[in-house]
Amino acid sequence: MRNNLELYVHIPFCVKKCGYCDFLSFSCDEHTQGKYADALMREIKAYGARMKDYTVSTIYIGGGTPSWLDENKMSEILDTVYTSFQVSKEAEVSMECNPGTVTAAKLEQYRMAGINRLSIGLQSADNEELKILGRIHTFEQFVKTYELARNAGFSNINVDLINGIPYQTCDKFLRTLQKVVRLKPNHISAYSLIIEKGTPFYERYKSDALKQEAGMPTDVLPTEEEVCRIYKMTQEYLDKAGYIQYEISNFAQPGYECIHNIGYWTRENYLGLGLGAASLIENVRYANTADLYEYMKEPAKNRTADEISRKAQMEEFMFLGLRMKEGVTRERFFREFGIPIDGIYHAALEKLKAEGMLMIREGRIALSEKGADLSNYVLAQFLID
Amino acid sequence: MSVKQDKIRNFCIIAHIDHGKSTLADRIIEKTGTLTEREMQAQVLDNMDLERERGITIKSQAVRIIYKAKDGEEYIFNLIDTPGHVDFNYEVSRSLAACDGAILVVDAAQGVEAQTLANVYLALDHNLDVFPVINKIDLPSARPDEVCKEIEDVIGIEAMDAPRISAKTGLNIEDVLEQIVEKIPAPAGNPDAPLKALIFDALYDSYKGVMVFCRIKEGTIKVGDPIKMMATGASAQVAEVGYFGAGQFIPCEELSAGMVGYFTASIKNVADTRVGDTVTNANRPCAEALPGYKKVNPMVYCGIYPADSARYPDLRDALEKLQINDASLHFEPETSLALGFGFRCGFLGLLHLEIIQERLEREFDLDLVTTAPGVIYKVHKTNGEVIDLTNPSNLPDPSEIEYMEEPYVSAEIMVTKDYVGSIMTLCQERRGNYIGMEYLEETRALLKYELPLNEIIYDFFDALKSRSRGYASFDYELKGYERSELVKLDILINHEMMDALSFIVFKDNAYERGRRMCERLKGEIPRHLFEIPIQAAVGGKIIARETVKAMRKDVLAKCYGGDISRKRKLLEKQKEGKKRMRQVGNVEIPQEAFMSVLKLDED
C-alpha cells in the first residue's frame, strides 16, 4: 500500500505586509519572485525523486499571497509537482489568494493548472477594520474577486476571517458574518487576532493585549468577555446557516471540510516545500531554512530534522487531535502507540472530565464547549513531564 | 621560615562604602609585586562573583604581602579586607580583631560619612592604631584640604600628613606603604607561650574539610599539633598550616605569635568551628580564652523554603556551610502550610538577607521561595510570659496579648543642606522620632532620628538615596524596644489563610498595606477555572478584597503551514509556568507572590 502525503507549498511574497502578520512573508521584486519559483521547482523535483513511495492526497499553496506570483510561474510550479510526484486524481488542491490580486484570466489559468479550492483572505467585511488591519483591499473588492472565482468555476471556496480586531464588538463581527454568509462560501475559518511579538501591532497594542489576557478592561481590543461572546455568536450563527464546526476555528458546509488541514491535526505525513516550510514525515519533523538567499542557493538542502520521541508523538496526538470537533478515539490511540490511552493519560482525562472540559463517550474523547473556550489550558494537560 | 615579629604588620582597610577600599587593596598588592600583572585582576580581594558584580565586599579576605621599605628592610604585611556596608559590621568587627592597625580611606570629594565614623569607632574599640588616607584626589571635585580638616574635626585623629592618593591611577601609593611600616605597630606575643589563636574566619573545602583562618596571639602552631577549640571543645590534629597568597593558600611549616594564616585539621563537622573561638594546644593549653567577639544578633528574619520541596536537605546543608564563615546567619527549621518545610533565618539586615539568598541560589544551585522579612517583636502575654516573635504565624491569640513591643534604632543620617527637608519628611513617614540635628560644616548636616526597625528594613536605604539624589548616608544601631500598637495582617486566598503571607504591621498602616497587598497579589496570581477572592484580614475581620476572575476564553491563532512547534511552545510555556507554582488547596500560587509584600512601596 502506498502512503499518503500532503504537500504544502510556501510562497512568501506579499504586496504589503499587514501590521498583525508574523508569518514568513515580505514584499519583493518580480525578478526575485521568479528566481524563488525556480528554486522552489528544483526543490520539488529533488523531493519528488526521493519520495516515490507516496501518493499525494492534498496540495496547499499558502503564503504570503500566492496569487501575487505570476500565474505562468504558478502553472509551472504545479506542473512540476504533477510530474515529480504521484498525485491522486481526487487530490484537494488549495491556493490562498487575496482580493484585488486576481483577474478572470488569472483565475481561469489556476483552474487549468489543477487548483480546485480557493481560500480568500477577507478578514473583515468592515472597511474600517480592514484599514486598521493594514489590508490593501476593501470589502467591495473582495466581493468582486469572489464573483470572479465563482464565474471561473471554483466550486469550493473558503473565506478567512479574523475576529478580535481593535474596536470590534460582537455586533460588528455579526455584520461581517452576515455579509459573508450571504455569498454562500463553502468554508469559513475564523481565527482570533493575536498580538504577536515582532509585529507593528505588538508595539501598538502590547499592553492592551496583556490586559485582554488578564481579563481586565481594555482600551481598544475587545475584552476577553467580548471575545468570548463573539466566539459563541459565531458558532450559533454559522450553525444556523448550515456550517458545521469541525475544528476549533473552522466551519464548513457538509462535505467541504479542508482535508489538508485535517491532515495536520491527525498527524498525516506532510511535506513542506519552499522557504521556512515545515514537514512531518514518518515522525521526523523538518524545517526548511528561513533565509531566502540560503534557500535559493540550495533549496533542497538547508533543512533541520528532529525525530519526534514517542512521548512527543503522544502529546501531539492529543493536543492536535483535540482541536477537531470529533476529537480523538481510544481505539486510534491504541493502534498508534500499542497501549491504552488510560495507561498514559488516566489522571489528565479524569481531571479534565471532572472539570467539565472534556466529553468522553463511547471511546471518543472531545473538547466540551467549555473545553474549547479554554483549549490552551486543556491541551497543556496532555504534555507529559 | 622564621619571621621577626617586628617586621610584621597586620592591618585592615576601613572606609565608607564606595570610598575606594578594595581598589586601594588591589593597588597595594600590585605595588608590592605579590601578583604579576597578568594575574592582576581588578579587585583581587573580592573573589566572590557576587562581590565583583555588586562592587562591594561581603566576606573578609586576607592576603600576605612582602614589602621592601625605604629603610632597606623587608616587611610582611597581612592585609585583611573588610566589608563596608552597615549590615556587615559584624564581619568588620572580627577582621579588626585580627589586626593591629587600620588604614582609614576617605573620599576626597565626599569627605567623612556616616559609615566612616562607625568604622573608625569600631576600630578604636578594638584598640587599633588608625591612620587616614585621602583617596580619589584625581577627581575634579576633590577637596583634600577640607577633608583633612573634617577628619580632624569630626573624628579627632591626626590627618595633616595623610597620604593623598588616587587608588585608581596608583598615585602616591608608596606613601601609604611607608606609613603602614611607620604607623602600624608590630604585633606582640610570645612565640614560646602556650598556643592562643583567634579564629576570625573559616571556609569549607570539600577535600580538606574546614579551613580555619586565625591570628596567632601567643605561641606557635605547626603540622601534627593536637589542637583544641576552647568554646566548642572539639579537638583535632593539624594537617596543614599556611598563609594567604593572593587568591591562593600557601602552606608553610608553622605560624607563630603575631602571624595571620590558616590551618586545616580534617574537621568535617562544620559546627565544631566557631568564628571568634580560641584555638589552643590540647597538650599544653593556655590559661584562658581570648575575649572573642561580641555575639551579634540577627535583626531581620524571614522564611526560606526550597522551591522544590525535595531539596530541603540540600538547603539545610547549604545553610550550614554558609554559616561556618558567616556566624551572623541564624536558622532553624519551620513548616508552613503553603510552603512546606523550610527554615526561619535571621540576618543582620536586608542586604545580608539578599546576599545569602543569592549565594544559596548561585553557589548551591537552589531555587528558593522567601517570605516577607520581619523584625523580632516582643509579645507580652497576659500571663506574664514574654516571647520573642520571629514568625508572624506564631503570634498568640489577641486575647492572650497584654501588649507588644517593636525594636527601634538610633539612626544618623548625613545629608547636604538642600535635602534636609525631604529626608525629614521621609523619616516622619516612617514613624521616626526626631532627636536632633547638627551641622558638621556649612553645607552638611547630621540628622538624628529614632526609627522603628521594621520601617527601615525594606527599602529605606533606597528611598533615602532617591530623595537625596544619592547624597545622604546612613548608619544605625539598635536602640531597644518600645511599646507599639501592632496587629497581624493575614491574607486569605480563596478563603484559605496563607500563613507564609502574614505579617506584623503598625495598626494605623494595616488598612493601606492590606489593600495594596491584595492589589499586588491580584496581579501575581494567574487566573484559574474559578474565581479566586483575595482578602486581607486583621483579627478575623476582612479589611480589603480583590478578585481574580475566572478564565473565560483563549484566543486562537492560525496554525501556519503545519508549523506546530509554535503551538507546542505555547503549551509548554503554559505548563512551565505551572511548575513554578505552589499548589495551596486548589489554587496555584506563583513563588514570586510570596515576595510581593516587599514590593508594596515600589509604585
Side-chain angles (χ1 to χ4, degrees):
Chain A
M1 190 187 103
R2 295 173 63 90
N3 293 318
N4 262 348
L5 180 68
E6 302 195 332
L7 290 187
Y8 174 79
V9 180
H10 191 60
I11 308 293
F13 310 119
C14 271
V15 181
K16 175 178 156 281
K17 196 165 170 105
C18 305
Y20 59 89
C21 174
D22 81 327
F23 290 165
L24 185 53
S25 69
F26 38 86
S27 179
C28 86
D29 60 73
E30 212 170 306
H31 175 71
T32 310
Q33 290 187 30
K35 275 179 65 181
Y36 176 81
D38 293 341
L40 185 59
M41 286 184 273
R42 290 212 300 282
E43 191 191 11
I44 292 168
K45 281 179 198 153
Y47 284 118
R50 284 187 223 171
M51 306 198 66
K52 288 270 177 248
D53 299 338
Y54 293 86
T55 301
V56 172
S57 55
T58 68
I59 302 171
Y60 191 100
I61 304 164
T65 307
S67 54
W68 192 38
L69 190 72
D70 178 82
E71 59 269 35
N72 294 320
K73 278 286 175 200
M74 185 56 78
S75 298
E76 257 184 78
I77 290 168
L78 278 166
D79 285 345
T80 311
V81 170
Y82 294 130
T83 50
S84 307
F85 287 89
Q86 180 80 41
V87 181
S88 156
K89 287 215 162 51
E90 299 85 46
E92 173 193 275
V93 184
S94 310
M95 190 189 80
E96 291 179 347
C97 80
N98 272 339
T101 57
V102 289
T103 58
K106 216 170 175 177
L107 287 162
E108 181 59 32
Q109 189 160 346
Y110 290 152
R111 289 269 297 131
M112 300 299 289
I115 293 167
N116 52 30
R117 183 174 181 273
L118 273 190
S119 176
I120 309 178
L122 168 62
Q123 319 311 355
S124 169
D126 180 318
N127 285 336
E128 278 305 309
E129 289 184 351
L130 288 173
K131 214 181 267 170
I132 291 171
L133 289 174
R135 303 291 293 179
I136 54 166
H137 57 84
T138 60
F139 177 66
E140 292 68 30
Q141 281 170 304
F142 160 79
V143 174
K144 181 100 176 84
T145 298
Y146 183 88
E147 279 163 358
L148 286 174
R150 283 294 190 210
N151 292 339
F154 282 97
S155 59
N156 186 353
I157 297 182
N158 165 58
V159 175
D160 262 343
L161 297 176
I162 289 182
N163 60 45
I165 298 167
Y167 307 105
Q168 193 173 64
T169 58
C170 196
D171 282 350
K172 265 194 188 173
F173 193 66
L174 174 62
R175 284 198 289 278
T176 284
L177 286 176
Q178 287 166 337
K179 285 186 186 174
V180 170
V181 164
R182 210 168 290 148
L183 297 167
K184 299 193 176 68
N186 311 86
H187 188 286
I188 295 173
S189 66
Y191 293 97
S192 313
L193 176 69
I194 307 274
I195 308 300
E196 300 276 8
K197 246 184 211 155
T199 63
F201 268 37
Y202 188 73
E203 299 311 315
R204 229 174 292 162
Y205 303 118
K206 183 170 52 180
S207 64
D208 222 28
L210 286 173
K211 287 181 196 165
Q212 187 191 51
E213 206 186 317
M216 283 156 54
T218 49
D219 298 330
V220 299
L221 291 174
T223 61
E224 186 192 42
E225 268 102 37
E226 196 67 23
V227 170
C228 195
R229 260 199 295 280
I230 291 173
Y231 188 70
K232 301 272 167 249
M233 178 277 292
T234 306
Q235 285 175 318
E236 275 168 37
Y237 183 79
L238 291 180
D239 182 64
K240 269 188 212 138
Y243 293 87
I244 296 157
Q245 183 183 16
Y246 67 98
E247 196 258 358
I248 272 180
S249 309
N250 283 289
F251 304 81
Q253 293 174 345
Y256 285 91
E257 296 85 359
C258 177
I259 302 164
H260 183 85
N261 249 325
I262 292 174
Y264 292 149
W265 315 133
T266 52
R267 305 185 69 250
E268 290 286 333
N269 289 316
Y270 55 87
L271 175 65
L273 298 157
L275 188 66
S279 309
L280 172 70
I281 293 160
E282 310 305 345
N283 280 315
V284 181
R285 202 170 283 292
Y286 302 90
N288 280 356
T289 175
D291 182 316
L292 180 64
Y293 296 94
E294 216 175 86
Y295 174 79
M296 292 199 300
K297 225 161 106 195
E298 290 181 301
K301 261 204 173 146
N302 294 308
R303 70 175 192 182
T304 57
D306 281 304
E307 197 160 333
I308 307 173
S309 67
R310 216 170 96 88
K311 166 180 156 292
Q313 288 174 35
M314 292 181 192
E315 293 172 349
E316 286 179 10
F317 179 92
M318 297 307 292
F319 78 69
L320 296 174
L322 284 174
R323 287 184 66 112
M324 288 183 303
K325 197 79 181 171
E326 59 180 34
V328 299
T329 63
R330 291 179 189 276
E331 187 256 323
R332 171 124 193 257
F333 189 93
F334 186 78
R335 189 156 25 101
E336 296 227 353
F337 302 109
I339 41 170
I341 194 167
D342 285 300
I344 304 291
Y345 288 124
H346 180 74
L349 290 173
E350 286 301 310
K351 174 175 183 252
L352 290 168
K353 195 180 162 188
E355 288 171 349
M357 297 289 171
L358 290 179
M359 296 184 300
I360 304 180
R361 225 175 274 141
E362 292 166 16
R364 189 170 283 286
I365 301 162
L367 294 182
S368 67
E369 195 179 320
K370 190 169 157 197
D373 285 346
L374 300 170
S375 63
N376 285 341
Y377 165 79
V378 178
L379 301 181
Q381 309 295 316
F382 292 101
L383 297 183
I384 304 165
D385 282 316
Chain B
M1 182 178 66
S2 78
V3 182
K4 282 193 189 147
Q5 247 181 20
D6 65 345
K7 296 290 179 284
I8 297 176
R9 296 291 181 271
N10 297 318
F11 64 95
C12 59
I13 307 175
I14 54 179
H16 184 78
I17 195 160
D18 273 353
H19 279 198
K21 183 171 48 81
S22 295
T23 318
L24 176 59
D26 288 350
R27 216 49 70 217
I28 291 174
I29 294 167
E30 193 185 61
K31 283 280 175 196
T32 52
T34 309
L35 289 182
T36 62
E37 265 186 45
R38 192 174 52 83
E39 290 166 323
M40 193 68 203
Q41 212 186 106
Q43 312 217 329
V44 177
L45 289 180
D46 291 346
N47 67 6
M48 254 193 276
D49 287 349
L50 204 55
E51 294 184 323
R52 256 171 234 213
E53 276 168 34
R54 293 197 171 200
I56 56 171
T57 306
I58 301 158
K59 288 294 305 164
S60 308
Q61 300 289 330
V63 63
R64 172 192 279 214
I65 301 157
I66 302 197
Y67 174 61
K68 196 158 192 256
K70 284 185 182 149
D71 61 9
E73 298 280 344
E74 269 193 0
Y75 289 84
I76 288 183
F77 289 175
N78 284 306
L79 163 57
I80 294 155
D81 200 15
T82 58
H85 190 275
V86 59
D87 272 10
F88 299 104
N89 259 344
Y90 175 71
E91 298 271 341
V92 176
S93 164
R94 54 197 240 204
S95 314
L96 295 179
C99 300
D100 303 297
I103 304 174
L104 172 69
V105 180
V106 182
D107 185 309
Q110 307 283 332
V112 174
E113 305 246 23
Q115 281 282 288
T116 316
L117 283 174
N119 282 328
V120 169
Y121 293 144
L122 215 53
L124 296 176
D125 275 352
H126 284 81
N127 292 319
L128 301 192
D129 287 4
V130 179
F131 75 86
V133 165
I134 312 298
N135 190 21
K136 305 195 187 181
I137 58 161
D138 56 319
L139 290 182
S141 54
R143 39 183 189 96
D145 292 334
E146 278 172 60
V147 170
C148 281
K149 190 164 178 309
E150 205 174 287
I151 292 172
E152 295 196 335
D153 291 353
V154 179
I155 307 177
I157 59 172
E158 184 74 34
M160 278 313 141
D161 64 343
R164 298 176 178 201
I165 67 161
S166 164
K168 203 171 106 193
T169 66
L171 181 71
N172 296 336
I173 299 297
E174 295 77 10
D175 295 353
V176 180
L177 296 170
E178 281 301 314
Q179 288 207 358
I180 293 170
V181 174
E182 282 166 36
K183 297 200 168 171
I184 301 214
N190 178 2
D192 300 320
L195 176 66
K196 195 188 252 188
L198 179 73
I199 303 178
F200 68 87
D201 207 346
L203 65 82
Y204 190 84
D205 181 284
S206 39
Y207 300 107
K208 296 176 178 172
V210 179
M211 301 185 80
V212 181
F213 296 5
C214 58
R215 159 76 191 267
I216 316 293
K217 295 281 189 182
E218 301 275 357
T220 302
I221 186 170
K222 56 182 186 301
V223 176
D225 280 354
I227 48 118
K228 190 178 166 202
M229 314 280 187
M230 295 186 75
T232 65
S235 49
Q237 197 161 20
V238 176
E240 180 180 323
V241 296
Y243 57 88
F244 308 109
Q248 56 185 331
F249 300 105
I250 300 173
C252 64
E253 274 172 25
E254 58 173 43
L255 295 171
S256 60
M259 295 171 92
V260 171
Y262 71 93
F263 70 85
T264 68
S266 303
I267 306 165
K268 293 289 177 210
N269 192 350
V270 169
D272 286 344
T273 314
R274 200 176 288 161
V275 170
D277 198 354
T278 304
V279 184
T280 190
N281 190 303
N283 294 342
R284 195 175 156 230
C286 59
E288 58 184 25
L290 293 160
Y293 309 117
K294 187 175 64 173
K295 184 159 167 61
V296 283
N297 293 314
M299 298 220 261
V300 177
Y301 276 82
C302 77
I304 294 187
Y305 292 79
D308 171 3
S309 51
R311 298 203 64 194
Y312 174 75
D314 296 342
L315 175 59
R316 186 183 51 218
D317 204 44
L319 283 167
E320 278 174 2
K321 287 199 171 129
L322 287 182
Q323 198 182 38
I324 47 168
N325 64 1
D326 188 349
S328 47
L329 168 66
H330 281 226
F331 61 91
E332 59 184 49
E334 72 170 8
T335 49
S336 146
L337 217 61
L339 299 172
F341 290 102
F343 294 93
R344 175 100 339 211
C345 301
F347 305 93
L348 301 173
L350 206 64
L351 180 66
H352 188 210
L353 182 160
E354 274 176 39
I355 299 282
I356 293 291
Q357 194 189 340
E358 276 196 61
R359 289 188 67 187
L360 287 169
E361 290 186 340
R362 284 193 202 193
E363 294 171 28
F364 299 92
D365 195 28
L366 288 160
D367 236 340
L368 303 175
V369 184
T370 314
T371 65
V375 302
I376 309 167
Y377 297 97
K378 288 202 183 295
V379 183
H380 295 256
K381 294 173 67 173
T382 45
N383 63 6
E385 202 188 326
V386 182
I387 53 175
D388 284 344
L389 186 78
T390 56
N391 181 347
S393 308
N394 299 338
L395 187 74
D397 190 83
S399 64
E400 294 173 30
I401 301 173
E402 175 93 44
Y403 66 94
M404 284 170 73
E405 290 179 311
E406 67 175 321
Y408 268 71
V409 297
S410 303
E412 290 190 340
I413 301 163
M414 211 171 280
V415 63
T416 45
K417 202 174 59 185
D418 303 348
Y419 301 109
V420 166
S422 58
I423 297 303
M424 287 176 84
T425 312
L426 173 68
C427 290
Q428 229 63 55
E429 288 166 12
R430 301 299 173 104
R431 298 192 281 135
N433 301 326
Y434 175 77
I435 300 299
M437 178 165 67
E438 288 167 29
Y439 272 90
L440 294 179
E441 51 189 290
E442 259 178 50
T443 54
R444 286 204 310 161
L446 184 69
L447 274 169
K448 293 186 177 177
Y449 268 91
E450 286 174 5
L451 287 153
L453 179 61
N454 185 28
E455 296 287 339
I456 61 172
I457 57 169
Y458 297 128
D459 59 344
F460 185 75
F461 197 67
D462 293 339
L464 198 66
K465 287 285 174 196
S466 73
R467 295 208 197 174
S468 68
R469 306 205 174 186
Y471 280 113
S473 73
F474 167 59
D475 189 33
Y476 65 86
E477 62 178 27
L478 201 60
K479 178 184 160 274
Y481 277 79
E482 280 184 27
R483 193 168 166 154
S484 183
E485 290 292 321
L486 299 164
V487 292
K488 179 164 77 117
L489 186 70
D490 291 318
I491 300 293
L492 291 87
I493 295 177
N494 205 22
H495 308 294
E496 263 197 74
M497 205 214 290
M498 295 291 125
D499 55 357
L501 287 171
S502 297
F503 57 98
I504 306 284
V505 62
F506 183 61
K507 197 177 167 195
D508 294 355
N509 295 347
Y511 170 74
E512 180 64 14
R513 285 240 156 202
R515 192 181 58 76
R516 295 175 77 166
M517 187 77 186
C518 289
E519 270 172 22
R520 182 63 75 160
L521 284 169
K522 185 185 174 183
E524 298 269 3
I525 295 174
R527 292 195 296 160
H528 283 56
L529 301 176
F530 44 88
E531 193 175 275
I532 303 169
I534 301 171
Q535 296 158 305
V538 169
K541 192 176 158 231
I542 305 294
I543 57 168
R545 177 188 163 123
E546 291 282 344
T547 306
V548 178
K549 280 197 262 175
M551 281 195 288
R552 296 218 41 202
K553 178 84 183 90
D554 297 330
V555 285
L556 288 170
K558 183 166 176 162
C559 211
Y560 141 81
D563 180 10
I564 69 120
S565 60
R566 184 185 294 208
K567 182 76 187 171
R568 175 178 274 281
K569 267 184 208 138
L570 181 88
L571 297 176
E572 275 169 357
K573 212 175 110 196
Q574 174 142 358
K575 178 146 181 160
E576 200 47 45
K578 278 176 115 55
K579 275 198 191 147
R580 285 195 58 82
M581 304 219 206
R582 288 276 168 168
Q583 174 101 30
V584 184
N586 52 357
V587 180
E588 278 157 340
I589 303 172
Q591 313 197 340
E592 294 73 34
F594 294 98
M595 287 294 274
S596 54
V597 65
L598 276 179
K599 302 174 197 151
L600 289 185
D601 294 312
E602 268 177 14
D603 26 46

